[in-house]
Amino acid sequence: MTDVLLVDRTDAVVTLTLNRPDAMNSFTVDLKEALRDTLAELETDRSCRAIVLAGAGGAFCGGQDLREHAELLGKGATDLDTVRVHYNPIAQRLSSMPKPVVAAVRGMAAGAGASLAMLADFRIGGPKTSFLMAFANVALAGDSGISWSLPRIVGHARAVELLLLAEPVRAQRAYEIGLLTRLLEDDEQVLPVAQELAARLAAGPTVAYGAIKRELSIGDAGTLSDALAAEAQAQAICGATADHKNAVEAFVNKRKPVYEGR
């Protein structure tokens, strides 16, 4: 694995750290491919039960590396094929990941960096956290799932404002409108708290968590009939798990359940 992406395993939690701190962890081809391929591996890795996404240094992610992008434009590459080849698969993996994803958002999350943070199940930030839907500032439309995730988090009208005006959203405001799940008082605690939350989730009924995520993705956009069908399918899957059996037995016997993610 290339060192532009650091992969750390602590028990059932895998922390993925974007590791280009001198460039605000902006996305080069190498970093995009590393993140895309690692997420694909973790999706089916039963030993991984929760994921933390973080950035090295003082920023979460500055989005696309514009220096590399300028070189590609200079060579006549104007179709932005990287969206189809890199950003779309990354966004799809994050949004459909059958285990919890926690984003530790220290500092700036801009462009595709903000987009990917929005696809996490939880976003933890500190006083220096900020978001910038920067696409319009370089005459581009949104990508990496932002047109899907942002309206679901802040509503359609606010999404229009954030994307068209492309102005920074500071930490307190980000928390108020839902871009952050939790706002801490100390930036140094962002990663430890995110990892602590991920560890808590990893010890939970992760099959059920994955099913709940699928239900919500359908329920958000579908009809009541779609939601009911998804719920029936999810309950059939979860009802057959060892975790469900153990949880019911623990409840009857007044003890704390132990979940194994199966």
Side-chain angles (χ1 to χ4, degrees), residues 53 57-60 102-109 122-131 169-176 179-194:
L53 186 60
F60 177 71
V102 182
V105 189
R106 282 186 53 177
M108 173 63 76
F122 301 87
R123 290 167 298 281
I124 311 300
K128 294 183 180 178
T129 296
S130 61
F131 294 92
V169 182
R170 306 300 179 189
Q172 184 60 43
R173 183 59 174 159
Y175 176 68
E176 291 171 355
L179 298 181
L180 284 176
T181 309
R182 191 180 303 177
L183 176 58
L184 307 177
E185 295 181 356
D186 183 356
D187 289 299
E188 295 302 318
Q189 289 301 307
V190 170
L191 180 57
V193 169

Side-chain angles (χ1 to χ4, degrees), residues 111-224:
S115 298
L116 299 184
M118 294 304 117
L119 294 171
D121 302 305
F122 301 87
R123 290 167 298 281
I124 311 300
K128 294 183 180 178
T129 296
S130 61
F131 294 92
L132 177 61
M133 312 307 163
F135 305 99
N137 287 343
V138 288
L140 288 175
D143 61 35
S144 306
I146 196 66
S147 63
W148 181 87
S149 62
L150 193 60
R152 285 166 170 76
I153 295 171
V154 302
H156 179 86
R158 184 79 68 193
V160 171
E161 175 190 2
L162 295 177
L163 284 164
L164 268 62
L165 297 183
E167 297 172 342
V169 182
R170 306 300 179 189
Q172 184 60 43
R173 183 59 174 159
Y175 176 68
E176 291 171 355
I177 64 176
L179 298 181
L180 284 176
T181 309
R182 191 180 303 177
L183 176 58
L184 307 177
E185 295 181 356
D186 183 356
D187 289 299
E188 295 302 318
Q189 289 301 307
V190 170
L191 180 57
V193 169
Q195 291 173 322
E196 180 182 343
L197 174 58
R200 171 187 169 185
L201 292 163
T206 47
V207 175
Y209 292 157
I212 290 169
K213 291 173 64 171
R214 287 191 297 273
E215 286 179 340
L216 290 173
S217 68
I218 293 170
D220 276 345
T223 64
L224 175 59

Side-chain angles (χ1 to χ4, degrees), residues 69-90:
H69 182 59
E71 291 178 6
L72 294 173
L73 288 177
K75 296 176 182 177
T78 60
D79 62 355
L80 285 179
D81 194 47
T82 188
V83 172
R84 180 184 60 81
V85 174
H86 302 120
Y87 288 124
N88 284 359
I90 293 171

Side-chain angles (χ1 to χ4, degrees), residues 243-259:
D243 281 349
H244 173 63
K245 180 181 178 181
N246 292 340
V248 172
E249 290 178 352
F251 177 83
V252 171
N253 292 292
K254 297 182 179 180
R255 58 178 172 80
K256 186 176 180 180
V258 176
Y259 299 111

